[in-house]
Amino acid sequence: MGRAGLGWGIVARLILGRPLRGIAFDTAVCGLVVFFAVSAYVAGQIGVPAFAVGLAAAVAVFFRRTHPTAVAVAVAALALVQVIAGWGPLAYDIAVLIALYSVVKYADRLRDGIVAGVVAVLGGVLAALQTPGAGPWWMGAFFYALIVGAVWLAGLNLRTRRLYVLSLEDRAATLEREREAQARAAVAEERTRIARELHDVVAHSMAVMIVQADGVRFTLDRDPATAREAAKVVADTGRAALEEMRRLVGVLREPTATQPDPADGPAHRRPALVELPALLDRFRAAGLRVACGGAGAPPPLPPGLELTVYRVVQESLTNTLKHAGVGASVELTLDWSADAVVIRAVDDGRGRPVDGPAPSGGHGLVGMRERVGVYDGSLAAGPTLAGGWRVRARLPLSPAAGTGEGRAAA
């Protein structure tokens, strides 16, 4: 029963093209016109033809939202029939005012509402001429014109409000689409940058393998022990390069149209962990008060993972400088263990606006999330109770970290 009712509701919305609340309100408006027509017929004020005209007007106003101009034309034609028949003003003529209000509020062009207003005023003049009374006919015409003008202005006011709300909704939808597009562009650019850096890692590994393989060939007969060690380095480096290649393919799995950043240059340098003190000094020179600490010692890492740790620290401090401002205090910790490295950056948010450009990085949280995701890590970021910002990244370390390329490079 419930499923059948739900299905009927969906079908009704598809057929009528309107929400249930609007349909219910228009049904009530239609019922009001029918009530006036039935009351006049039961009281003997009108005959069957006039009653039929009233019912037709009631049916027409039911479609006043979806076809306002057509409804106004239909109601005007029925009112003309009433004038020609000489029935005079009747209670169900409220349909004329309903149609006028609807065409002013819902028509695509306000011109339709202006034409409907002029026709309604002329109809009021004709109704005044057919209404017997003690006063002159122009007084009745003026009274009808006042009613028509009030209804027309009410419709115009609500039309303006409706269009304003629609414009706000359209602007909000446009801004949302722009934000999504900017986020996608940022992700695409950061993936391109990560892929370029991982490509350098793989290329370096291949170069190491070639050098060691050449050494094996020349020392195989003269020094078998050295040749065996070199062959082992080739194998370890190849396994590490294969793992980095797998990550590189994962980054490039979704195609992007983003070009490399020309600022990096064709031979951009790949930073390492030994350069972290210099990085912190640059941020201190820019105005941050950086305190660095941690537990454990970093093991030899694959170059790609080492680069990710460096970039996460760089992006965390860049975000702090951009948003917390110059003079903010940052507590940076790197906790090393056998299975993971945890990076924490917590600032107090008590700086002042940056006077010049902050040190460039990637795309903030987007870039860090992409980089950490490449190595199956986790990233959490959010405000602190003290008003600052906190970033925590965890990168798992493989059991074989330090073998392969790290040792070959030594």
mmCIF file with all atom_site columns, all heavy atoms in Angstrom, residues 308-333:
data_model
loop_
_atom_site.group_PDB
_atom_site.id
_atom_site.type_symbol
_atom_site.label_atom_id
_atom_site.label_alt_id
_atom_site.label_comp_id
_atom_site.label_asym_id
_atom_site.label_entity_id
_atom_site.label_seq_id
_atom_site.pdbx_PDB_ins_code
_atom_site.Cartn_x
_atom_site.Cartn_y
_atom_site.Cartn_z
_atom_site.occupancy
_atom_site.B_iso_or_equiv
_atom_site.pdbx_formal_charge
_atom_site.auth_seq_id
_atom_site.auth_comp_id
_atom_site.auth_asym_id
_atom_site.auth_atom_id
_atom_site.pdbx_PDB_model_num
ATOM 1   N N   . THR A 1 308 ? 57.378 13.045 0.064  1.00 0.00 ? 308 THR A N   1
ATOM 2   C CA  . THR A 1 308 ? 56.036 13.284 0.607  1.00 0.00 ? 308 THR A CA  1
ATOM 3   C C   . THR A 1 308 ? 56.116 13.881 2.010  1.00 0.00 ? 308 THR A C   1
ATOM 4   O O   . THR A 1 308 ? 55.370 14.815 2.348  1.00 0.00 ? 308 THR A O   1
ATOM 5   C CB  . THR A 1 308 ? 55.237 11.968 0.623  1.00 0.00 ? 308 THR A CB  1
ATOM 6   O OG1 . THR A 1 308 ? 55.089 11.499 -0.705 1.00 0.00 ? 308 THR A OG1 1
ATOM 7   C CG2 . THR A 1 308 ? 53.868 12.178 1.249  1.00 0.00 ? 308 THR A CG2 1
ATOM 8   N N   . VAL A 1 309 ? 56.989 13.368 2.844  1.00 0.00 ? 309 VAL A N   1
ATOM 9   C CA  . VAL A 1 309 ? 57.155 13.925 4.189  1.00 0.00 ? 309 VAL A CA  1
ATOM 10  C C   . VAL A 1 309 ? 57.560 15.389 4.103  1.00 0.00 ? 309 VAL A C   1
ATOM 11  O O   . VAL A 1 309 ? 57.022 16.257 4.808  1.00 0.00 ? 309 VAL A O   1
ATOM 12  C CB  . VAL A 1 309 ? 58.196 13.106 4.983  1.00 0.00 ? 309 VAL A CB  1
ATOM 13  C CG1 . VAL A 1 309 ? 58.484 13.777 6.316  1.00 0.00 ? 309 VAL A CG1 1
ATOM 14  C CG2 . VAL A 1 309 ? 57.702 11.684 5.197  1.00 0.00 ? 309 VAL A CG2 1
ATOM 15  N N   . TYR A 1 310 ? 58.510 15.680 3.218  1.00 0.00 ? 310 TYR A N   1
ATOM 16  C CA  . TYR A 1 310 ? 58.977 17.064 3.058  1.00 0.00 ? 310 TYR A CA  1
ATOM 17  C C   . TYR A 1 310 ? 57.835 17.966 2.613  1.00 0.00 ? 310 TYR A C   1
ATOM 18  O O   . TYR A 1 310 ? 57.640 19.070 3.137  1.00 0.00 ? 310 TYR A O   1
ATOM 19  C CB  . TYR A 1 310 ? 60.118 17.090 2.044  1.00 0.00 ? 310 TYR A CB  1
ATOM 20  C CG  . TYR A 1 310 ? 60.717 18.455 1.819  1.00 0.00 ? 310 TYR A CG  1
ATOM 21  C CD1 . TYR A 1 310 ? 61.817 18.895 2.536  1.00 0.00 ? 310 TYR A CD1 1
ATOM 22  C CD2 . TYR A 1 310 ? 60.170 19.319 0.857  1.00 0.00 ? 310 TYR A CD2 1
ATOM 23  C CE1 . TYR A 1 310 ? 62.366 20.156 2.335  1.00 0.00 ? 310 TYR A CE1 1
ATOM 24  C CE2 . TYR A 1 310 ? 60.713 20.582 0.646  1.00 0.00 ? 310 TYR A CE2 1
ATOM 25  C CZ  . TYR A 1 310 ? 61.806 20.990 1.383  1.00 0.00 ? 310 TYR A CZ  1
ATOM 26  O OH  . TYR A 1 310 ? 62.338 22.242 1.184  1.00 0.00 ? 310 TYR A OH  1
ATOM 27  N N   . ARG A 1 311 ? 57.044 17.506 1.626  1.00 0.00 ? 311 ARG A N   1
ATOM 28  C CA  . ARG A 1 311 ? 55.962 18.338 1.090  1.00 0.00 ? 311 ARG A CA  1
ATOM 29  C C   . ARG A 1 311 ? 54.849 18.562 2.126  1.00 0.00 ? 311 ARG A C   1
ATOM 30  O O   . ARG A 1 311 ? 54.253 19.643 2.174  1.00 0.00 ? 311 ARG A O   1
ATOM 31  C CB  . ARG A 1 311 ? 55.386 17.698 -0.164 1.00 0.00 ? 311 ARG A CB  1
ATOM 32  C CG  . ARG A 1 311 ? 56.312 17.703 -1.360 1.00 0.00 ? 311 ARG A CG  1
ATOM 33  C CD  . ARG A 1 311 ? 56.684 19.087 -1.777 1.00 0.00 ? 311 ARG A CD  1
ATOM 34  N NE  . ARG A 1 311 ? 57.363 19.096 -3.063 1.00 0.00 ? 311 ARG A NE  1
ATOM 35  C CZ  . ARG A 1 311 ? 58.060 20.109 -3.543 1.00 0.00 ? 311 ARG A CZ  1
ATOM 36  N NH1 . ARG A 1 311 ? 58.201 21.208 -2.798 1.00 0.00 ? 311 ARG A NH1 1
ATOM 37  N NH2 . ARG A 1 311 ? 58.628 20.049 -4.725 1.00 0.00 ? 311 ARG A NH2 1
ATOM 38  N N   . VAL A 1 312 ? 54.575 17.547 2.926  1.00 0.00 ? 312 VAL A N   1
ATOM 39  C CA  . VAL A 1 312 ? 53.539 17.720 3.950  1.00 0.00 ? 312 VAL A CA  1
ATOM 40  C C   . VAL A 1 312 ? 53.951 18.786 4.957  1.00 0.00 ? 312 VAL A C   1
ATOM 41  O O   . VAL A 1 312 ? 53.152 19.648 5.347  1.00 0.00 ? 312 VAL A O   1
ATOM 42  C CB  . VAL A 1 312 ? 53.237 16.376 4.639  1.00 0.00 ? 312 VAL A CB  1
ATOM 43  C CG1 . VAL A 1 312 ? 52.375 16.584 5.888  1.00 0.00 ? 312 VAL A CG1 1
ATOM 44  C CG2 . VAL A 1 312 ? 52.522 15.434 3.683  1.00 0.00 ? 312 VAL A CG2 1
ATOM 45  N N   . VAL A 1 313 ? 55.205 18.759 5.376  1.00 0.00 ? 313 VAL A N   1
ATOM 46  C CA  . VAL A 1 313 ? 55.705 19.788 6.291  1.00 0.00 ? 313 VAL A CA  1
ATOM 47  C C   . VAL A 1 313 ? 55.642 21.158 5.621  1.00 0.00 ? 313 VAL A C   1
ATOM 48  O O   . VAL A 1 313 ? 55.196 22.152 6.216  1.00 0.00 ? 313 VAL A O   1
ATOM 49  C CB  . VAL A 1 313 ? 57.138 19.455 6.740  1.00 0.00 ? 313 VAL A CB  1
ATOM 50  C CG1 . VAL A 1 313 ? 57.724 20.607 7.552  1.00 0.00 ? 313 VAL A CG1 1
ATOM 51  C CG2 . VAL A 1 313 ? 57.157 18.171 7.556  1.00 0.00 ? 313 VAL A CG2 1
ATOM 52  N N   . GLN A 1 314 ? 56.061 21.217 4.375  1.00 0.00 ? 314 GLN A N   1
ATOM 53  C CA  . GLN A 1 314 ? 56.064 22.487 3.654  1.00 0.00 ? 314 GLN A CA  1
ATOM 54  C C   . GLN A 1 314 ? 54.652 23.057 3.512  1.00 0.00 ? 314 GLN A C   1
ATOM 55  O O   . GLN A 1 314 ? 54.416 24.242 3.758  1.00 0.00 ? 314 GLN A O   1
ATOM 56  C CB  . GLN A 1 314 ? 56.691 22.295 2.269  1.00 0.00 ? 314 GLN A CB  1
ATOM 57  C CG  . GLN A 1 314 ? 56.763 23.575 1.453  1.00 0.00 ? 314 GLN A CG  1
ATOM 58  C CD  . GLN A 1 314 ? 57.251 23.305 0.040  1.00 0.00 ? 314 GLN A CD  1
ATOM 59  O OE1 . GLN A 1 314 ? 57.063 22.226 -0.503 1.00 0.00 ? 314 GLN A OE1 1
ATOM 60  N NE2 . GLN A 1 314 ? 57.899 24.305 -0.557 1.00 0.00 ? 314 GLN A NE2 1
ATOM 61  N N   . GLU A 1 315 ? 53.694 22.217 3.133  1.00 0.00 ? 315 GLU A N   1
ATOM 62  C CA  . GLU A 1 315 ? 52.325 22.693 2.946  1.00 0.00 ? 315 GLU A CA  1
ATOM 63  C C   . GLU A 1 315 ? 51.696 23.101 4.281  1.00 0.00 ? 315 GLU A C   1
ATOM 64  O O   . GLU A 1 315 ? 50.920 24.065 4.340  1.00 0.00 ? 315 GLU A O   1
ATOM 65  C CB  . GLU A 1 315 ? 51.478 21.606 2.275  1.00 0.00 ? 315 GLU A CB  1
ATOM 66  C CG  . GLU A 1 315 ? 51.882 21.268 0.862  1.00 0.00 ? 315 GLU A CG  1
ATOM 67  C CD  . GLU A 1 315 ? 51.666 22.419 -0.099 1.00 0.00 ? 315 GLU A CD  1
ATOM 68  O OE1 . GLU A 1 315 ? 51.032 23.423 0.302  1.00 0.00 ? 315 GLU A OE1 1
ATOM 69  O OE2 . GLU A 1 315 ? 52.151 22.335 -1.240 1.00 0.00 ? 315 GLU A OE2 1
ATOM 70  N N   . SER A 1 316 ? 52.012 22.376 5.345  1.00 0.00 ? 316 SER A N   1
ATOM 71  C CA  . SER A 1 316 ? 51.459 22.720 6.651  1.00 0.00 ? 316 SER A CA  1
ATOM 72  C C   . SER A 1 316 ? 51.936 24.108 7.091  1.00 0.00 ? 316 SER A C   1
ATOM 73  O O   . SER A 1 316 ? 51.139 24.933 7.559  1.00 0.00 ? 316 SER A O   1
ATOM 74  C CB  . SER A 1 316 ? 51.856 21.670 7.689  1.00 0.00 ? 316 SER A CB  1
ATOM 75  O OG  . SER A 1 316 ? 51.368 20.395 7.330  1.00 0.00 ? 316 SER A OG  1
ATOM 76  N N   . LEU A 1 317 ? 53.199 24.366 6.927  1.00 0.00 ? 317 LEU A N   1
ATOM 77  C CA  . LEU A 1 317 ? 53.735 25.678 7.321  1.00 0.00 ? 317 LEU A CA  1
ATOM 78  C C   . LEU A 1 317 ? 53.257 26.781 6.383  1.00 0.00 ? 317 LEU A C   1
ATOM 79  O O   . LEU A 1 317 ? 53.011 27.915 6.814  1.00 0.00 ? 317 LEU A O   1
ATOM 80  C CB  . LEU A 1 317 ? 55.262 25.622 7.350  1.00 0.00 ? 317 LEU A CB  1
ATOM 81  C CG  . LEU A 1 317 ? 55.863 24.657 8.376  1.00 0.00 ? 317 LEU A CG  1
ATOM 82  C CD1 . LEU A 1 317 ? 57.383 24.679 8.301  1.00 0.00 ? 317 LEU A CD1 1
ATOM 83  C CD2 . LEU A 1 317 ? 55.401 25.003 9.781  1.00 0.00 ? 317 LEU A CD2 1
ATOM 84  N N   . THR A 1 318 ? 53.114 26.466 5.098  1.00 0.00 ? 318 THR A N   1
ATOM 85  C CA  . THR A 1 318 ? 52.596 27.460 4.152  1.00 0.00 ? 318 THR A CA  1
ATOM 86  C C   . THR A 1 318 ? 51.168 27.843 4.506  1.00 0.00 ? 318 THR A C   1
ATOM 87  O O   . THR A 1 318 ? 50.796 29.033 4.485  1.00 0.00 ? 318 THR A O   1
ATOM 88  C CB  . THR A 1 318 ? 52.654 26.906 2.720  1.00 0.00 ? 318 THR A CB  1
ATOM 89  O OG1 . THR A 1 318 ? 54.006 26.605 2.380  1.00 0.00 ? 318 THR A OG1 1
ATOM 90  C CG2 . THR A 1 318 ? 52.115 27.923 1.723  1.00 0.00 ? 318 THR A CG2 1
ATOM 91  N N   . ASN A 1 319 ? 50.350 26.872 4.838  1.00 0.00 ? 319 ASN A N   1
ATOM 92  C CA  . ASN A 1 319 ? 48.978 27.157 5.253  1.00 0.00 ? 319 ASN A CA  1
ATOM 93  C C   . ASN A 1 319 ? 48.944 28.032 6.502  1.00 0.00 ? 319 ASN A C   1
ATOM 94  O O   . ASN A 1 319 ? 48.130 28.951 6.628  1.00 0.00 ? 319 ASN A O   1
ATOM 95  C CB  . ASN A 1 319 ? 48.227 25.848 5.510  1.00 0.00 ? 319 ASN A CB  1
ATOM 96  C CG  . ASN A 1 319 ? 47.547 25.335 4.262  1.00 0.00 ? 319 ASN A CG  1
ATOM 97  O OD1 . ASN A 1 319 ? 47.589 25.971 3.224  1.00 0.00 ? 319 ASN A OD1 1
ATOM 98  N ND2 . ASN A 1 319 ? 46.935 24.176 4.367  1.00 0.00 ? 319 ASN A ND2 1
ATOM 99  N N   . THR A 1 320 ? 49.833 27.726 7.437  1.00 0.00 ? 320 THR A N   1
ATOM 100 C CA  . THR A 1 320 ? 49.876 28.528 8.660  1.00 0.00 ? 320 THR A CA  1
ATOM 101 C C   . THR A 1 320 ? 50.236 29.975 8.354  1.00 0.00 ? 320 THR A C   1
ATOM 102 O O   . THR A 1 320 ? 49.619 30.912 8.867  1.00 0.00 ? 320 THR A O   1
ATOM 103 C CB  . THR A 1 320 ? 50.894 27.929 9.642  1.00 0.00 ? 320 THR A CB  1
ATOM 104 O OG1 . THR A 1 320 ? 50.496 26.591 9.979  1.00 0.00 ? 320 THR A OG1 1
ATOM 105 C CG2 . THR A 1 320 ? 50.974 28.756 10.905 1.00 0.00 ? 320 THR A CG2 1
ATOM 106 N N   . LEU A 1 321 ? 51.229 30.167 7.500  1.00 0.00 ? 321 LEU A N   1
ATOM 107 C CA  . LEU A 1 321 ? 51.652 31.528 7.167  1.00 0.00 ? 321 LEU A CA  1
ATOM 108 C C   . LEU A 1 321 ? 50.558 32.279 6.420  1.00 0.00 ? 321 LEU A C   1
ATOM 109 O O   . LEU A 1 321 ? 50.343 33.478 6.631  1.00 0.00 ? 321 LEU A O   1
ATOM 110 C CB  . LEU A 1 321 ? 52.937 31.484 6.346  1.00 0.00 ? 321 LEU A CB  1
ATOM 111 C CG  . LEU A 1 321 ? 53.600 32.833 6.035  1.00 0.00 ? 321 LEU A CG  1
ATOM 112 C CD1 . LEU A 1 321 ? 53.921 33.580 7.311  1.00 0.00 ? 321 LEU A CD1 1
ATOM 113 C CD2 . LEU A 1 321 ? 54.863 32.622 5.203  1.00 0.00 ? 321 LEU A CD2 1
ATOM 114 N N   . LYS A 1 322 ? 49.830 31.583 5.539  1.00 0.00 ? 322 LYS A N   1
ATOM 115 C CA  . LYS A 1 322 ? 48.783 32.236 4.756  1.00 0.00 ? 322 LYS A CA  1
ATOM 116 C C   . LYS A 1 322 ? 47.586 32.611 5.613  1.00 0.00 ? 322 LYS A C   1
ATOM 117 O O   . LYS A 1 322 ? 47.004 33.687 5.450  1.00 0.00 ? 322 LYS A O   1
ATOM 118 C CB  . LYS A 1 322 ? 48.331 31.323 3.616  1.00 0.00 ? 322 LYS A CB  1
ATOM 119 C CG  . LYS A 1 322 ? 49.323 31.209 2.466  1.00 0.00 ? 322 LYS A CG  1
ATOM 120 C CD  . LYS A 1 322 ? 48.764 30.303 1.384  1.00 0.00 ? 322 LYS A CD  1
ATOM 121 C CE  . LYS A 1 322 ? 49.727 30.208 0.210  1.00 0.00 ? 322 LYS A CE  1
ATOM 122 N NZ  . LYS A 1 322 ? 49.203 29.316 -0.851 1.00 0.00 ? 322 LYS A NZ  1
ATOM 123 N N   . HIS A 1 323 ? 47.192 31.718 6.511  1.00 0.00 ? 323 HIS A N   1
ATOM 124 C CA  . HIS A 1 323 ? 45.923 31.899 7.214  1.00 0.00 ? 323 HIS A CA  1
ATOM 125 C C   . HIS A 1 323 ? 46.105 32.407 8.653  1.00 0.00 ? 323 HIS A C   1
ATOM 126 O O   . HIS A 1 323 ? 45.311 33.225 9.106  1.00 0.00 ? 323 HIS A O   1
ATOM 127 C CB  . HIS A 1 323 ? 45.141 30.580 7.218  1.00 0.00 ? 323 HIS A CB  1
ATOM 128 C CG  . HIS A 1 323 ? 44.835 30.078 5.839  1.00 0.00 ? 323 HIS A CG  1
ATOM 129 N ND1 . HIS A 1 323 ? 43.935 30.704 5.001  1.00 0.00 ? 323 HIS A ND1 1
ATOM 130 C CD2 . HIS A 1 323 ? 45.321 29.018 5.145  1.00 0.00 ? 323 HIS A CD2 1
ATOM 131 C CE1 . HIS A 1 323 ? 43.875 30.046 3.859  1.00 0.00 ? 323 HIS A CE1 1
ATOM 132 N NE2 . HIS A 1 323 ? 44.704 29.028 3.914  1.00 0.00 ? 323 HIS A NE2 1
ATOM 133 N N   . ALA A 1 324 ? 47.106 31.904 9.354  1.00 0.00 ? 324 ALA A N   1
ATOM 134 C CA  . ALA A 1 324 ? 47.334 32.404 10.715 1.00 0.00 ? 324 ALA A CA  1
ATOM 135 C C   . ALA A 1 324 ? 48.077 33.731 10.695 1.00 0.00 ? 324 ALA A C   1
ATOM 136 O O   . ALA A 1 324 ? 47.855 34.589 11.539 1.00 0.00 ? 324 ALA A O   1
ATOM 137 C CB  . ALA A 1 324 ? 48.095 31.380 11.542 1.00 0.00 ? 324 ALA A CB  1
ATOM 138 N N   . GLY A 1 325 ? 48.955 33.895 9.701  1.00 0.00 ? 325 GLY A N   1
ATOM 139 C CA  . GLY A 1 325 ? 49.634 35.167 9.547  1.00 0.00 ? 325 GLY A CA  1
ATOM 140 C C   . GLY A 1 325 ? 51.016 35.215 10.168 1.00 0.00 ? 325 GLY A C   1
ATOM 141 O O   . GLY A 1 325 ? 51.468 34.284 10.851 1.00 0.00 ? 325 GLY A O   1
ATOM 142 N N   . VAL A 1 326 ? 51.689 36.326 9.915  1.00 0.00 ? 326 VAL A N   1
ATOM 143 C CA  . VAL A 1 326 ? 53.042 36.530 10.437 1.00 0.00 ? 326 VAL A CA  1
ATOM 144 C C   . VAL A 1 326 ? 52.981 36.672 11.960 1.00 0.00 ? 326 VAL A C   1
ATOM 145 O O   . VAL A 1 326 ? 52.103 37.340 12.505 1.00 0.00 ? 326 VAL A O   1
ATOM 146 C CB  . VAL A 1 326 ? 53.666 37.794 9.809  1.00 0.00 ? 326 VAL A CB  1
ATOM 147 C CG1 . VAL A 1 326 ? 55.027 38.077 10.422 1.00 0.00 ? 326 VAL A CG1 1
ATOM 148 C CG2 . VAL A 1 326 ? 53.764 37.639 8.301  1.00 0.00 ? 326 VAL A CG2 1
ATOM 149 N N   . GLY A 1 327 ? 53.919 36.023 12.620 1.00 0.00 ? 327 GLY A N   1
ATOM 150 C CA  . GLY A 1 327 ? 53.968 36.080 14.075 1.00 0.00 ? 327 GLY A CA  1
ATOM 151 C C   . GLY A 1 327 ? 53.280 34.924 14.763 1.00 0.00 ? 327 GLY A C   1
ATOM 152 O O   . GLY A 1 327 ? 53.355 34.798 15.990 1.00 0.00 ? 327 GLY A O   1
ATOM 153 N N   . ALA A 1 328 ? 52.592 34.061 14.014 1.00 0.00 ? 328 ALA A N   1
ATOM 154 C CA  . ALA A 1 328 ? 51.940 32.902 14.615 1.00 0.00 ? 328 ALA A CA  1
ATOM 155 C C   . ALA A 1 328 ? 52.977 31.888 15.065 1.00 0.00 ? 328 ALA A C   1
ATOM 156 O O   . ALA A 1 328 ? 54.058 31.767 14.490 1.00 0.00 ? 328 ALA A O   1
ATOM 157 C CB  . ALA A 1 328 ? 50.978 32.254 13.627 1.00 0.00 ? 328 ALA A CB  1
ATOM 158 N N   . SER A 1 329 ? 52.645 31.176 16.126 1.00 0.00 ? 329 SER A N   1
ATOM 159 C CA  . SER A 1 329 ? 53.526 30.134 16.650 1.00 0.00 ? 329 SER A CA  1
ATOM 160 C C   . SER A 1 329 ? 53.066 28.775 16.139 1.00 0.00 ? 329 SER A C   1
ATOM 161 O O   . SER A 1 329 ? 51.871 28.468 16.155 1.00 0.00 ? 329 SER A O   1
ATOM 162 C CB  . SER A 1 329 ? 53.511 30.147 18.180 1.00 0.00 ? 329 SER A CB  1
ATOM 163 O OG  . SER A 1 329 ? 54.022 31.370 18.671 1.00 0.00 ? 329 SER A OG  1
ATOM 164 N N   . VAL A 1 330 ? 54.004 27.966 15.694 1.00 0.00 ? 330 VAL A N   1
ATOM 165 C CA  . VAL A 1 330 ? 53.710 26.637 15.159 1.00 0.00 ? 330 VAL A CA  1
ATOM 166 C C   . VAL A 1 330 ? 54.562 25.620 15.900 1.00 0.00 ? 330 VAL A C   1
ATOM 167 O O   . VAL A 1 330 ? 55.771 25.807 16.050 1.00 0.00 ? 330 VAL A O   1
ATOM 168 C CB  . VAL A 1 330 ? 54.010 26.550 13.647 1.00 0.00 ? 330 VAL A CB  1
ATOM 169 C CG1 . VAL A 1 330 ? 53.500 25.231 13.087 1.00 0.00 ? 330 VAL A CG1 1
ATOM 170 C CG2 . VAL A 1 330 ? 53.414 27.719 12.911 1.00 0.00 ? 330 VAL A CG2 1
ATOM 171 N N   . GLU A 1 331 ? 53.907 24.574 16.330 1.00 0.00 ? 331 GLU A N   1
ATOM 172 C CA  . GLU A 1 331 ? 54.622 23.462 16.956 1.00 0.00 ? 331 GLU A CA  1
ATOM 173 C C   . GLU A 1 331 ? 54.613 22.296 15.975 1.00 0.00 ? 331 GLU A C   1
ATOM 174 O O   . GLU A 1 331 ? 53.572 21.698 15.707 1.00 0.00 ? 331 GLU A O   1
ATOM 175 C CB  . GLU A 1 331 ? 53.967 23.066 18.268 1.00 0.00 ? 331 GLU A CB  1
ATOM 176 C CG  . GLU A 1 331 ? 54.722 21.957 18.993 1.00 0.00 ? 331 GLU A CG  1
ATOM 177 C CD  . GLU A 1 331 ? 54.092 21.599 20.326 1.00 0.00 ? 331 GLU A CD  1
ATOM 178 O OE1 . GLU A 1 331 ? 53.157 22.324 20.741 1.00 0.00 ? 331 GLU A OE1 1
ATOM 179 O OE2 . GLU A 1 331 ? 54.524 20.603 20.935 1.00 0.00 ? 331 GLU A OE2 1
ATOM 180 N N   . LEU A 1 332 ? 55.784 21.972 15.432 1.00 0.00 ? 332 LEU A N   1
ATOM 181 C CA  . LEU A 1 332 ? 55.923 20.910 14.447 1.00 0.00 ? 332 LEU A CA  1
ATOM 182 C C   . LEU A 1 332 ? 56.606 19.714 15.090 1.00 0.00 ? 332 LEU A C   1
ATOM 183 O O   . LEU A 1 332 ? 57.667 19.862 15.700 1.00 0.00 ? 332 LEU A O   1
ATOM 184 C CB  . LEU A 1 332 ? 56.737 21.412 13.249 1.00 0.00 ? 332 LEU A CB  1
ATOM 185 C CG  . LEU A 1 332 ? 57.047 20.398 12.157 1.00 0.00 ? 332 LEU A CG  1
ATOM 186 C CD1 . LEU A 1 332 ? 55.772 20.005 11.407 1.00 0.00 ? 332 LEU A CD1 1
ATOM 187 C CD2 . LEU A 1 332 ? 58.083 20.960 11.184 1.00 0.00 ? 332 LEU A CD2 1
ATOM 188 N N   . THR A 1 333 ? 55.991 18.549 14.959 1.00 0.00 ? 333 THR A N   1
ATOM 189 C CA  . THR A 1 333 ? 56.578 17.322 15.506 1.00 0.00 ? 333 THR A CA  1
ATOM 190 C C   . THR A 1 333 ? 56.558 16.243 14.440 1.00 0.00 ? 333 THR A C   1
ATOM 191 O O   . THR A 1 333 ? 55.588 16.120 13.681 1.00 0.00 ? 333 THR A O   1
ATOM 192 C CB  . THR A 1 333 ? 55.801 16.835 16.743 1.00 0.00 ? 333 THR A CB  1
ATOM 193 O OG1 . THR A 1 333 ? 54.437 16.583 16.382 1.00 0.00 ? 333 THR A OG1 1
ATOM 194 C CG2 . THR A 1 333 ? 55.852 17.861 17.851 1.00 0.00 ? 333 THR A CG2 1
#
